[in-house]
Structure formats: structure tokens, C-alpha cells
Amino acid sequence: MVLTLILIGAVAAVYATACAALMMRLGITFRQALSYLPLKLLYRIDDRAVRIARKSEAPVVYVISHQSRLDAALMLSLLPDDTLHILDEDSAKSAWLEPWRELARTIAFNTEHVFVSRRLVRVLKRKGRIAVYMPEDVEPDVRSFRLYRAVSRIALQGEARVVPIFIDGARHLPFSRIDEATAPRRWFPRLRIGMLEPLTIPELVSRAGAAQPTASGALFDRLAEARSTTNLAGRTLFQAIVEAAGRFGADREIVEDVISGSLSYRRMLMATRVLASRLARTTAPGEAVGLLLPNSNGIAIALLGVHSAGRVAAMINYTSGPANVTSAIRTAMIRTIVSSHAFVEKAGLADIIEAAKAGGARILWLEELREGTSRLDKLAAFFLWRRPVGPQAADAPALVMFTSGSEHAPKAVVLSHQNVLTNAMQVEARLAIGPRDFVMNVLPVFHAFGLLGGLILPLLAGVKTLLYPSPLHFKLIPQLAGKKRPTVLFSTDTFLSAYAKAAGDQDFACLRMAVAGAEPLLAETRRIWMGRFGTRLFEGYGMTEAAPVLSLNSATHEREGSVGRLLPGVRARLEPIEGIDEGGRLWVTGPNVMMGYMSADRPGVIQRLEEGWHDTGDIVSFDREGFVTIKGRAKRFAKIAGEMVSLGAIEMLVHALWPEDKHAIVAVPDRRRGERIVLVTTAEQADANELRRRGKEAGMTELAIPQDIVKIEEIPIHATGKTDYAATRQIAIDRLGHATAA
């Protein structure tokens, strides 16, 4: 009996000591520490960010993303004890929550009437604190979004700061409020509490810069920003995908190609371990390793293998020509390239391999690696697939990608692990995508859009992805979609238009959405896909330098003709342009914006951005709710007789006039006016008089109407689907002759 009492006393003393330590570290009361310690131990909670909430000066509104029934217990234990918690009816009545409800004031409100009361404003004006639990909806319905309007209004009237709170891992608890098919359950997931610095609603609105969202939009984006910065914080791509394997199941099939079939997380990461071990022996930490592979299971394995080894993956655009490949290899100082004999032979890339060798790279063939793998290597991979082979650092370079070069020579863009992971989470915070989806990716992964949307995001979100090697198979891709039944497609307007022409009415009926980027989405393309397949097309905007997405339309935040609102955490400013009355040249900054460029004159050296701001080179405008409209590339404006003319706007006019054909507007030199505008088109019926008439109806000046029409069989495009304006412009110059265009 005495021994029992001694043991009980010892346990109580240890428990009290641990509670005292929590009190000192977090600033909570002893009663709060008593209730919080069991949760801390069970879920191994990372609570370092709690100090932000504790130090926030009143009045303050804590806005919590409500994912599970445990959220209230955690917040009652950690937020200041004078906080008024506004609980949903379930949390207000649950018997098990009673010990935690005793820690602070709580009130239950019906969500229909919660924020019409003036009581909350009075609490804030008395230097009070309130905690509001917002529905965890990536795409909130109209009713849910009313809460954002109400909370932002209360914060404004109460002159309160807002602290967004997100509990990473809570959605996977057994008592999650989210559908199990979207968030698989785990008994004891590790939790991480994320919070952002307190800001008032006016500060949130002004912080976005030129975008200037509404108060409710700014609040919604701030909570989404907390989510995107808390999820996967401090991890590398390899570590984040290993964590996804644990969350969604190591045996879940996650990638598939048309040759090899499907791979589970486990099998993919076992193969990754084998490749990483080889790279660790033959390359140096932090070295750039080139990947010259098609959309296949092999590219997923190679990408993760490079990152597991602690190296940087350089994505080689094998369609850019031998000269560009040699330049890319020298610029990024690539000494090793991972490729495949079968792919090189089938795609006829012998000249690209020779160009790579001329640049100083040696080739590591996957077939030879497979044959040279020993039983010991396989055994190590079986047991150690979760562990990286080399050093891991979230802020280190992860990718070297080369811009498409639609108007100039490609640039080498350096992205960190956090750039890429943050952008994936920013997109996930705007798109409702989850394990029930099935992605079909036809965009090449050497392009940032194809890599993030079609490979990295699905791997992180537990979404199986089908990797197809070429987007140019216009007849085969619809047939494959009809057979495999994907629900999400990432593509471009050019490809979407071509697929729709070749598809049967049922081939894409399985798609619930397609995300379009890289070029403007035409209204005709949107109409065809909705009319024939019932598929919504969401247009986005971005660039390689932004990893790559900057803005995106979604189900509840959509405006046709725009490219959506900026993603959470992205800030913008506009520089005025002479001759442009509405909008300006867009500069952006944010956690997804690149580390910097590498250039041929300083190979291997990252040239950092000045104060983190990047000049996009695009002319844009923002409306009153923050939706972005692209006016055109700065380089896609022509100066005709002193007047600025948007080539993109003219191109949209021509597409509306002859929607069945492909068109490109280019500017060529002109002796008299400086530049002249030329229409290059596949439309045999294209007529200058009809174009002039339609232009006048649209209010365009005479200077903006193309005076010359060049008819060709096919508009040059890059492998990414973008129009190759450099090649198109050269065609126009060659056809018109130097006498006219000189």
C-alpha cells in the first residue's frame, strides 16, 4: 500500500512538474496545463506557434479552421483564459468536453444567427478576445461564406486584430468533421498548431497590395494562408511525400503510366531509395542532377530519388532543341543526367543526348541501374524506404526549371522545397481535390504547371495520377480518358480545344473539372466543355518563377474572363505603364516566388531577387473583389504611331470571329510606323474586311486592326501547348518580306 502511494505520488509529482513546464513555456494557467498535457502526449503536438496567440494584444479575434471535435479542447487549453469561445451546438453540448469548457467562457450559437448579435462587438470594444470556429471548407458554400463576411464585419467594428489558427493533422483524427474518403482516419496523428501574426482587417486588405480584396475575401485568404504555411512546414519534397504515404496508406496506388501500370507509395519509394543510394555515391550534396524522362512512373521515382539523396532536380526540356539543352546543362552545372534508353530510342532523342554530353554531362541509364541493383540494395530499400539517403533542408534548392521561352531564350529558375510545397498547399487551399479524385496529366513535367499540378500536388494529396507521355496525341487521349475515367485534368486551351474536337460525347463525361493555364482560356473552349461533357474549366495564371501558380478561379471564387484571385500569401503591386490607362505591370512576392535565376554568364550561381519581388512582365488589372484580368505581356504590346496596342486583345477578337481555327497576332518591324500588326492564322476564310468590321464593333482603333494576314497550315506551339511566338513572328517576316516588314 505504501509503495502504491509512493508510485502515485511520484506520478503526480512528474505530472505537476510537466504542467509547470508547460505553464512557463506557453504562458497558460495551471488548470489549462492539466487539461492540455494528455493531448500533448497523445498527439505529440508541435505548439511553438501558440506564443503568437498569447502575445496578441486585445481586442483580438482568433479564427480557427474547425476540422475536428478536438479543436475546441485544444483551443480552450491554449488560448488566454479570458477568451470567449463561440462553439457550435455539438461542442457546446458534448459531455466529454465538459472539463475543457470549464477553462474559459463559452457560448453556443446557431450558425444562422451567430454573428447578427452586437454582443461580440461589445466584447471586443471592451478589449476582449473571442474565438470563432469556421467550417473547414476549401470551397465554402454561400451559407458558410456568410460567416466570413460577419466575422470580418465584427472585427472591423470592434477594431480587433485577427489571428488565424490551423491545426495540421486534425482532419485525420477519428473524430474529424471531414468526410473520411477525403481525410483517412488515424488514431494518433501528429498535430501541429499553426498561427499567423495578428493583423487588423484593413491591414489584411492593404497587405495584398494592388489586389485589394474585400474584407471577407481577405479574411478567407488569411485563414487559407495559415493552412498553406502550416501544412508541410519545414519539410522537403521527399519528407512531405513520405508523410503523405503514412497519412493515406503506404499501399495506396498513387502513380500509373500506360507502360508500367500502377505503383503504390511503398513501391515508388523503394525504387526511389535504390536510385538515391546510387546518386549519393556518384554525385555531391546539393549538386544539380538532370532528369530527361517522359511522363511516366520513372519520372516520379527519379524526382524523389534526387531529393532523397539531397540533390537538386534539374528538369530537362528535351523538346527545346540541342542548343538549348547544351546551354541549360552548362548554366545549371549539371554533371549527371538520369534518362532511359527505351525513351531516348523511341522518341528519337539521340541528338539531345549528344548535346547533353557536349554540355559536360554523363548519362545514368535507368535500365543499367535496374540491372546493377544488388540484393543488399533491395533489402535496404525494403526496410528504409521512409528514410532519406542524403541531407534534407527545406530552404535549400529543390528544382532548377527552364522557362518555356515562348518569346526569348529559356531562363534557369531555381525553386526551393518550400517554394514548391507552399504553392501546392496554396492551390489545395483553393481547389477541392482529394483521395477520391483521379488526375490525368498529359502536360510534360519539365514544365512547371505539369510538374506541380500533374505530379507533386497529387502525390501530396493522396490522389492517384495517370502520367501520359505526350499531350499531342489528340485522338488517343480522349479514348484513354473514356477508359480510365479521370476526374481532374490539367491542360491548356490549345490542348483542351483539340481534345474536344477528337472526343466522343462520353469520353470526358467523367471529369468534374479541368484546370487551364499557360495561355488564355477562350470562351468557346469553356462553352464546348460544359455543353458536351458537363465539365467546368477553371482558368489560372502563373509562371515558372512562382512555382508556378499565382492566381486561380475556383467553384466559389470565379469570374469568367479573369484568371481568379491571387492565391493566399501572394502580394502584388502595379507599376504604371505609359499608354495604359487601366492596370499596370505586375510585380509579385510571396512564399512561392523563386529563390532566383541562374544565367549562362554566371553558371551555378543563384541571382537572388531584390527584396523578394519578381517582375512578371505582364500587364494586369484588378477589380473591386481582387479578381485578376490579364491585359497581355508587356512584350505582347506594340507601339503603333505612339499608341500602345495589346496583341493579346486582338488575338481574343480573332478567336471569337473564327473560333474553329488557330490564330496568333505578332508585331513585326515597320519602316514608317515602327511596328505593324500581323495576323498569322490557319483560317482559310480569314478576311481583312471582316476583321476590320468586327474590330470597329468592338471599339478598337484602326491602328489595332491587323493590316496583313498570313495563312499557314499549323501555328507553331511548344510542347507545353503555348504558342511559339518567336517562330510565328519569323514566319510572318519571311512571308511578308523584308521590304514590307523591315
Side-chain angles (χ1 to χ4, degrees):
M1 181 65 179
V2 174
L3 183 58
T4 302
L5 290 173
I6 291 173
L7 288 174
I8 293 173
V11 170
V14 170
Y15 196 92
T17 302
C19 289
L22 286 174
M23 287 175 59
M24 295 291 292
R25 188 169 62 83
L26 300 176
I28 60 180
T29 67
F30 188 72
R31 287 181 64 202
Q32 286 179 308
L34 284 172
S35 300
Y36 173 60
L37 184 56
L39 302 178
K40 168 79 172 173
L41 297 173
L42 278 174
Y43 301 109
R44 308 174 307 286
I45 300 172
D46 181 345
D47 51 23
R48 287 170 290 180
V50 169
R51 297 170 191 168
I52 295 173
R54 305 289 307 188
K55 292 179 180 178
S56 301
E57 294 183 10
V60 63
V61 179
Y62 302 109
V63 183
I64 300 129
S65 180
H66 196 10
Q67 305 172 79
S68 79
R69 293 172 179 84
L70 188 68
D71 299 343
L74 283 171
M75 292 301 103
L76 284 161
S77 300
L78 292 171
L79 295 180
D81 59 354
D82 60 347
T83 303
L84 175 62
H85 293 255
I86 305 168
L87 303 179
D88 60 276
E89 293 182 352
D90 181 43
S91 297
K93 295 177 181 178
S94 295
W96 73 269
L97 196 58
E98 184 60 31
W100 285 274
R101 283 199 300 266
E102 294 296 321
L103 299 175
R105 293 181 300 154
T106 64
I107 51 177
F109 277 96
N110 184 302
T111 55
E112 290 290 327
H113 308 292
V114 55
F115 298 120
V116 298
S117 172
R118 297 179 182 176
R119 175 180 176 183
L120 302 178
V121 175
R122 290 198 297 269
V123 169
L124 293 175
K125 286 190 172 180
R126 293 196 296 266
K127 301 295 182 182
R129 303 168 185 268
I130 63 174
V132 181
Y133 296 79
M134 307 296 283
E136 163 54 21
D137 294 318
V138 171
E139 287 294 342
D141 55 25
V142 174
R143 174 179 165 183
S144 296
F145 202 74
R146 287 192 197 126
L147 300 180
Y148 287 94
R149 293 193 184 97
V151 172
S152 61
R153 187 165 58 248
I154 287 168
L156 271 171
Q157 293 175 358
E159 300 178 350
R161 296 176 178 84
V162 173
V163 176
I165 301 174
F166 183 83
I167 307 169
D168 182 33
R171 60 175 39 222
H172 298 286
L173 289 164
F175 20 88
S176 172
R177 294 163 51 90
I178 299 166
D179 181 21
E180 187 171 357
T182 301
R185 303 301 192 247
R186 295 171 61 198
W187 277 105
F188 301 108
R190 183 171 184 176
L191 303 183
R192 180 185 299 102
I193 299 173
M195 300 184 186
L196 298 180
E197 295 296 330
L199 293 173
T200 64
I201 294 295
E203 286 172 337
L204 288 178
V205 172
S206 63
R207 180 177 177 269
Q212 291 289 301
T214 60
S216 55
L219 179 63
F220 175 77
D221 288 344
R222 186 62 167 170
L223 189 56
E225 185 182 353
R227 170 183 175 151
S228 63
T229 54
T230 304
N231 276 345
L232 310 177
R235 295 163 175 78
T236 62
L237 275 164
F238 175 80
Q239 290 169 329
I241 290 168
V242 168
E243 187 171 302
R247 185 181 303 127
F248 299 106
D251 294 320
R252 178 181 179 83
E253 291 186 351
I254 195 64
V255 291
E256 177 182 357
D257 64 27
V258 292
I259 302 297
S260 309
S262 298
L263 285 180
S264 66
Y265 276 114
R266 188 195 308 274
R267 290 179 59 203
M268 177 183 70
L269 289 167
M270 285 171 60
T272 289
R273 175 82 189 190
V274 172
L275 175 59
S277 298
R278 174 67 175 272
L279 291 174
R281 293 193 297 268
T282 58
T283 61
E287 181 180 326
V289 176
L291 301 184
L292 200 159
L293 291 164
N295 282 18
S296 63
N297 294 345
I299 191 66
I301 292 166
L303 177 70
L304 294 178
V306 170
H307 289 146
S308 172
R311 275 57 173 171
V312 182
M315 313 302 291
I316 305 295
N317 181 352
Y318 45 81
T319 69
S320 63
N324 280 336
V325 168
T326 301
S327 173
I329 288 167
R330 288 174 176 166
T331 298
M333 297 185 68
I334 299 167
R335 298 290 173 262
T336 301
I337 291 178
V338 179
S339 191
S340 159
H341 280 301
F343 167 59
V344 168
E345 183 177 344
K346 187 171 183 179
L349 298 178
D351 58 336
I352 298 297
I353 294 298
E354 290 306 313
K357 292 178 179 178
R362 63 184 181 85
I363 313 299
L364 175 59
W365 300 104
L366 288 180
E367 290 89 349
E368 294 175 6
L369 176 66
R370 193 178 300 118
E371 293 171 1
T373 302
S374 67
R375 290 185 179 180
L376 185 60
D377 291 332
K378 293 178 181 178
L379 190 64
F382 182 80
F383 287 106
L384 301 175
W385 59 268
R386 292 182 180 87
R387 295 187 179 182
V389 172
Q392 304 285 294
D395 58 353
L399 297 169
V400 177
M401 304 204 73
F402 300 91
T403 59
S404 59
S406 55
E407 299 162 23
H408 46 65
K411 299 177 183 177
V413 174
V414 183
L415 299 167
S416 71
H417 291 275
Q418 279 300 278
N419 288 153
V420 180
L421 289 174
T422 297
N423 198 229
M425 293 301 98
Q426 288 170 321
V427 172
E428 189 192 39
R430 193 60 61 81
L431 284 182
I433 186 169
R436 284 187 291 190
D437 284 307
F438 179 21
V439 168
M440 183 175 185
N441 182 30
V442 299
L443 295 177
V445 295
F446 58 68
H447 185 259
F449 185 30
L451 179 62
L452 181 99
L455 182 59
I456 291 174
L457 177 59
L459 287 174
L460 294 171
V463 179
K464 185 177 180 180
T465 185
L466 171 64
L467 296 165
Y468 191 79
S470 173
L472 301 176
H473 298 166
F474 299 141
K475 293 183 179 180
L476 294 178
I477 286 170
Q479 294 173 10
L480 185 64
K483 179 181 177 181
K484 293 292 187 177
R485 315 289 295 172
T487 62
V488 180
L489 177 68
F490 291 89
S491 194
T492 68
D493 180 85
T494 297
F495 295 147
L496 288 170
S497 177
Y499 302 152
K501 287 179 182 178
D505 289 343
Q506 295 303 310
D507 286 341
F508 290 111
C510 51
L511 280 178
R512 66 180 186 87
M513 69 173 172
V515 182
E519 61 178 344
L521 178 64
L522 301 181
E524 179 68 8
T525 307
R526 190 191 302 271
R527 184 191 65 78
I528 290 172
W529 276 76
M530 177 55 75
R532 288 191 61 197
F533 312 119
T535 302
R536 295 186 68 175
L537 303 187
F538 295 127
E539 185 175 5
Y541 160 68
M543 57 200 59
T544 307
E545 291 88 342
V549 187
L550 283 170
S551 68
L552 186 63
N553 278 294
S554 61
T556 56
H557 290 82
E558 182 178 26
R559 185 150 299 168
E560 190 169 339
S562 81
V563 291
R565 294 172 57 240
L566 293 179
L567 294 181
V570 176
R571 290 185 287 157
R573 74 170 191 251
L574 295 181
E575 287 192 352
I577 299 290
E578 182 183 355
I580 304 294
D581 296 328
E582 184 182 352
R585 189 176 183 125
L586 177 66
W587 289 68
V588 293
T589 188
N592 57 311
V593 175
M594 67 173 179
M595 300 177 74
Y597 288 117
M598 288 180 183
S599 60
D601 58 333
R602 297 176 65 190
V605 178
I606 302 174
Q607 299 167 29
R608 304 272 178 171
L609 295 176
E610 186 175 345
E611 297 182 356
W613 285 91
H614 171 62
D615 176 10
T616 67
D618 290 317
I619 311 299
V620 313
S621 64
F622 293 92
D623 69 10
R624 291 178 61 185
E625 296 183 16
F627 284 88
V628 187
T629 300
I630 307 295
K631 302 292 185 180
R633 294 284 296 168
K635 293 183 179 180
R636 295 276 295 145
F637 275 77
K639 198 165 188 177
I640 312 294
E643 183 175 331
M644 296 294 288
V645 176
S646 169
L647 304 184
I650 306 168
E651 205 168 273
M652 295 295 281
L653 174 74
V654 178
H655 277 296
L657 186 56
W658 298 296
E660 297 299 318
D661 298 283
K662 294 297 179 184
H663 320 278
I665 298 291
V666 296
V668 301
D670 183 84
R671 287 173 180 165
R672 188 163 56 90
R673 293 184 172 181
E675 287 184 293
R676 66 190 297 149
I677 299 173
V678 180
L679 166 61
V680 182
T681 179
T682 63
E684 285 292 331
Q685 72 276 25
D687 176 71
N689 292 327
E690 178 65 15
L691 182 57
R692 193 175 297 110
R693 183 187 66 79
R694 181 62 67 91
K696 287 182 178 178
E697 290 177 359
M700 286 188 172
T701 65
E702 187 71 24
L703 291 171
I705 308 301
Q707 301 299 310
D708 301 285
I709 298 178
V710 174
K711 298 178 181 180
I712 59 177
E713 292 185 2
E714 190 173 341
I715 299 290
I717 62 172
H718 292 282
T720 58
K722 285 185 177 182
T723 299
D724 187 339
Y725 286 106
T728 305
R729 182 175 181 273
Q730 190 59 50
I731 290 172
I733 291 174
D734 292 343
R735 290 285 186 92
L736 294 174
H738 291 286
T740 303

